[in-house]
RNA sequence: GGUGGAGUGGCUGAGCGGCCCAAAGCAGCAGCCUGCAAAGCUGUCAAACCACGGGUUCAAAUCCCGUCUCCACCUCCA
């Protein structure tokens, strides 16, 4: 079965057929670097990372673009509030995103362009739109440039909305012709830093949010590309506007539109105004990066994912189960092949049904554990190979959370040896005391038939 | 007002006409294993109406109609 994806423009599940054989081009909306990342940003980035990994595992060469919006109202406002230079501020915030992405095990996109590096592309696109009658300079003579929604009958086609039903602004302002018209360039304001304005054919201005993505997608992927992805909350206005600009310009733009659902906290979307956002720092108090990745993968990408106090603990337990099997199996055998169980492939191809795919992993782990107990090496080898292949393509890891010094490691292993001796001498009181001591230090022992292995928890 | 989506066991969360007396995980219980634990395995836990009420069908969690509740978006948002 081929990969099927839900295309949110046609609102149907469509078989994925790439524009060019064995190649996939995807554009994903990255962050506006206005404040530190939260769970929602991580989920969105992870969804497209998983899709990209699955494409690669399926034999496609993937070109993935994830932009950085480093010039925007909020960047300037938040930098000003922090009394910081906006460029430094944006870079600093971007670093926190990159740190989180990398800790979460996301692969680097092929390109991570910054909006400020592509002003010329945006100007060219806007000039083209003006020449085609789809954009205009503000009627008040300012450097504001707007997209003329009345010139584009398809405006609203991505989100199936009619302009007259849109709430919009109540009055035509800033020199717009229609209330629904949106900014392509925003005229420089006197209270904004001069470094945040560029010389354009219409005067000193900075780009609007939507034109950035259209210009960068065109720059890196051309007029037509396979997939455009982003969070559900970007469908309107951001993606609607991107589509309007690019298609009015005559570009085919994205063939498939993907939108990931949001992360909720006790049923409600995270937002700063509700004060229920979960910062990355707060998460790491509760769980590891690998648990966060596992948990974020545990709902299909179009389903809401609800965060609660036990989420990461539960995810860690489930992950430990998989990791425990791999660890024990690798003590007596090694991976000699790469193969995915058929059910896993079916799940991944069914609009990236990661939770169903994870269920297959757990089924293989259970069978693998049984094979391990029975010392059935043939089955064990097969299950181990399958589990490792699946875990790899999902980017799941089981690293020890803490690095221990050689000295400490030796000490722990010394104690384990003492305990083994005590057990041999049937001095169980002493053996239990050693185990209790290690437990107090956060060391968990696992007695296998011929040896004891240990790990650090917490 | 418009546009999408959702309501499945104690919790998370798949399934979206027959393989469903509903996957998987977490939590709980019992047995096996163990000196005792932990881990593992097995069984169990469990949905007396898959939000509620109708309907279509040989067959419905899944399709249709109605109702209720919830969420998101409608020019800041992943």
């Amino acid at each position: 079965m081929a990969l099927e994806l839900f295309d949110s423009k046609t609102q149907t599940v469509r078989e994925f057929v790439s524009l060019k054989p064995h190649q996939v081009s995807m554009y994903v909306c990255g962050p506006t670097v206005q404040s530190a990342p939260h769970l929602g940003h991580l989920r969105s980035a992870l969804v497209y990372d998983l899709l990209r990994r699955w494409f690669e595992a399926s034999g496609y060469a993937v070109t993935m673009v994830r932009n950085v919006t480093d010039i925007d109202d909020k960047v300037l406002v938040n930098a000003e509030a922090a009394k910081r230079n906006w460029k430094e501020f944006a870079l600093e915030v971007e670093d926190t995103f990159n740190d989180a992405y990398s800790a979460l095990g996301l692969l680097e996109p092929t390109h991570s362009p910054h909006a400020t590096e592509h002003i010329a592309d945006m100007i060219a696109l806007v000039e083209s739109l003006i020449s085609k009658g789809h954009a205009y300079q503000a009627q008040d003579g300012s450097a504001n440039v707007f997209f003329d929604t009345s010139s584009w009958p398809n405006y609203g086609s991505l989100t199936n909305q009619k302009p007259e039903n849109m709430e919009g602004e109540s009055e035509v302002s800033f020199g717009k012709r229609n209330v629904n018209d949106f900014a392509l360039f925003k005229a420089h304001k006197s209270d904004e830093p001069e470094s945040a304005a560029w010389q354009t054919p219409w005067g000193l201005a900075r780009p609007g949010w939507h034109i950035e993505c259209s210009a960068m997608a065109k720059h890196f992927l051309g007029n037509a590309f396979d997939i455009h992805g982003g969070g559900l909350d970007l469908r309107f206005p951001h993606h609607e506007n991107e589509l309007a600009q690019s298609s009015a310009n005559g570009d085919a733009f994205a063939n498939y539109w993907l939108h990931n659902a949001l992360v909720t906290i006790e049923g409600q979307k995270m937002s700063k105004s509700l004060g229920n956002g979960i910062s990355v720092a707060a998460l790491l108090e509760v769980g590891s990066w690998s648990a966060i990745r596992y948990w974020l993968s545990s709902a299909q990408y179009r389903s809401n994912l609800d965060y609660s106090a036990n989420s990461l603990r539960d995810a860690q337990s489930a992950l430990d189960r998989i990791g425990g099997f791999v660890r024990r199996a690798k003590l007596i055998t090694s991976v000699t092949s790469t193969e995915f169980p058929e059910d896993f492939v079916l799940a991944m191809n069914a609009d990236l049904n990661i939770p169903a795919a994870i269920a297959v992993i757990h089924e293989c782990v259970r069978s693998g554990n049984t094979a391990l107990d029975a010392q059935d090496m043939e089955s064990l080898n097969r299950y181990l190979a399958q589990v490792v292949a699946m875990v790899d393509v999902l980017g799941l890891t089981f690293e020890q959370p803490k690095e221990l010094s050689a000295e400490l490691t030796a000490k722990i292993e010394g104690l384990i040896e003492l305990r083994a001796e005590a057990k041999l001498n049937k001095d169980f009181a002493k053996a239990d005391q050693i185990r209790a001591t290690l437990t107090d230090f956060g060391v968990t022992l696992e007695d296998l038939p011929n040896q004891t292995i240990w790990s650090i928890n917490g």
Side-chain angles (χ1 to χ4, degrees):
Chain A
M1 193 187 85
L3 173 64
E4 297 194 315
L5 293 173
F6 183 84
D7 173 21
S8 40
K9 180 161 186 287
T10 56
Q11 292 173 32
T12 53
V13 174
R14 294 170 59 200
E15 182 178 329
F16 179 76
V17 180
S18 58
L19 296 172
K20 295 181 189 165
H22 313 300
Q23 292 183 42
V24 176
S25 48
M26 48 197 289
Y27 186 92
V28 177
C29 280
T32 297
V33 285
Q34 49 146 317
S35 54
H38 58 60
L39 262 178
H41 297 106
L42 298 182
R43 181 181 195 194
S44 185
L46 176 61
V47 163
Y48 302 104
D49 180 69
L50 287 166
L51 180 62
R52 179 255 191 95
R53 286 169 184 264
W54 186 238
F55 274 131
E56 288 180 345
S58 305
Y60 288 94
V62 179
T63 304
M64 180 174 178
V65 180
R66 186 183 63 216
N67 71 293
V68 177
T69 298
D70 58 347
I71 175 70
D72 190 61
D73 300 30
K74 283 263 170 116
V75 173
L76 297 177
V77 168
N78 291 352
E80 171 72 26
K83 298 200 183 341
R84 299 282 308 280
N85 172 284
W86 69 274
K87 284 183 186 172
E88 287 174 12
F89 176 82
L91 279 174
E92 195 175 284
V93 175
E94 184 184 340
D95 280 345
T96 66
F97 271 88
N98 286 335
D99 289 348
Y101 287 158
S102 133
L104 194 60
L106 303 185
L107 301 175
E108 292 258 343
T110 320
H111 304 286
S112 305
H114 295 76
T116 52
E117 294 162 354
H118 290 273
I119 305 291
D121 289 324
M122 298 171 206
I123 291 175
L125 182 53
V126 171
E127 283 186 313
S128 172
L129 283 169
I130 291 178
S131 74
K132 290 175 171 127
H134 294 300
Y136 59 92
Q137 186 171 1
Q139 292 168 317
D140 59 11
S142 71
N144 285 327
V145 183
F146 297 102
F147 182 85
D148 185 352
T149 50
S150 67
S151 79
W152 190 244
N154 288 339
Y155 188 66
S157 65
L158 180 68
T159 51
N160 198 21
Q161 296 185 97
K162 294 185 174 125
E164 60 267 30
N165 287 331
M166 293 177 187
E167 286 179 344
E169 292 166 19
S170 52
E171 303 179 3
V172 177
S173 53
F174 306 109
K176 287 185 189 181
R177 290 180 189 162
N178 315 292
V179 285
N180 293 323
D181 291 357
F182 55 88
L184 301 174
F185 271 92
K186 296 181 175 181
H188 175 63
K189 297 189 188 95
S190 57
D191 59 343
E192 288 178 358
E194 283 185 22
S195 58
W198 287 261
Q199 199 55 248
T200 75
W202 314 284
L204 215 51
R206 61 182 168 86
W209 178 31
H210 318 303
I211 197 69
E212 299 174 2
C213 286
S214 281
M216 288 187 277
K218 189 180 174 78
H219 178 92
F220 288 99
L221 302 176
N223 296 344
F225 55 96
D226 291 301
I227 291 172
H228 192 309
L232 195 56
D233 51 352
L234 298 187
R235 279 176 81 221
F236 194 92
H238 186 50
H239 292 165
E240 188 73 74
N241 292 356
E242 280 184 48
L243 178 64
Q245 292 156 1
S246 291
S247 47
N249 191 50
D251 298 340
F253 214 53
N255 195 14
Y256 297 80
W257 284 88
L258 266 54
H259 287 102
N260 60 279
L262 309 178
V263 178
T264 55
I265 305 287
E266 287 165 1
Q268 284 206 306
K269 177 182 167 176
M270 274 187 250
S271 78
K272 294 216 162 67
S273 55
L274 287 169
N276 62 353
I278 306 275
S279 72
V280 166
L283 276 181
L284 289 172
E285 299 277 308
V286 189
S288 62
W289 278 110
S290 52
I292 294 171
R293 182 166 179 123
Y294 181 95
W295 176 71
L296 286 170
S297 302
S298 69
Q300 205 266 352
Y301 77 91
R302 289 193 289 124
S303 298
N304 281 342
L305 180 58
D306 197 51
Y307 180 83
S308 62
N310 290 335
S311 295
L312 290 187
R313 187 207 61 186
D314 293 355
Q316 188 69 59
S317 297
L319 196 57
D320 285 347
R321 178 179 153 75
I322 301 169
F325 164 68
V326 171
R327 186 180 189 203
R328 287 189 299 276
K330 281 187 172 172
L331 289 174
I332 60 169
T333 187
S334 55
V335 178
T336 52
S337 68
T338 298
E339 60 166 315
F340 298 119
E342 192 187 343
D343 284 349
F344 180 83
V345 175
L346 288 174
M348 294 299 283
N349 279 339
D351 197 22
L352 215 62
N353 192 339
I354 308 281
I358 289 177
V360 177
I361 296 180
H362 282 289
E363 282 162 9
C364 286
V365 164
R366 189 186 329 114
S367 302
N369 274 323
T370 304
L372 193 60
D373 285 348
Q375 296 287 299
D376 174 356
M377 295 306 289
E378 193 187 327
S379 299
L380 179 64
N381 287 339
R382 188 174 72 249
Y383 289 122
L384 176 63
Q386 290 180 335
V387 168
V388 168
M390 293 187 282
V391 157
D392 279 352
V393 81
L394 296 184
L396 298 174
T397 53
F398 316 107
E399 288 102 332
Q400 297 266 352
K402 285 178 192 161
E403 293 267 324
L404 294 186
S405 66
E407 198 184 341
L408 210 49
T409 301
K411 197 169 176 187
I412 290 168
E413 284 173 358
L415 282 170
I416 289 173
E417 233 169 273
L418 278 179
R419 173 168 170 266
E421 272 173 40
K423 281 173 68 177
L424 221 70
N425 298 332
K426 303 218 182 292
D427 185 355
F428 297 123
K430 186 177 178 190
D432 288 351
Q433 193 200 340
I434 293 171
R435 185 169 64 196
T437 305
L438 286 168
T439 303
D440 286 345
F441 280 108
V443 177
T444 302
L445 300 186
E446 202 176 322
D447 287 336
L448 301 183
N450 301 315
Q451 63 179 308
T452 298
I453 58 178
W454 58 277
S455 54
I456 304 286
N457 53 38

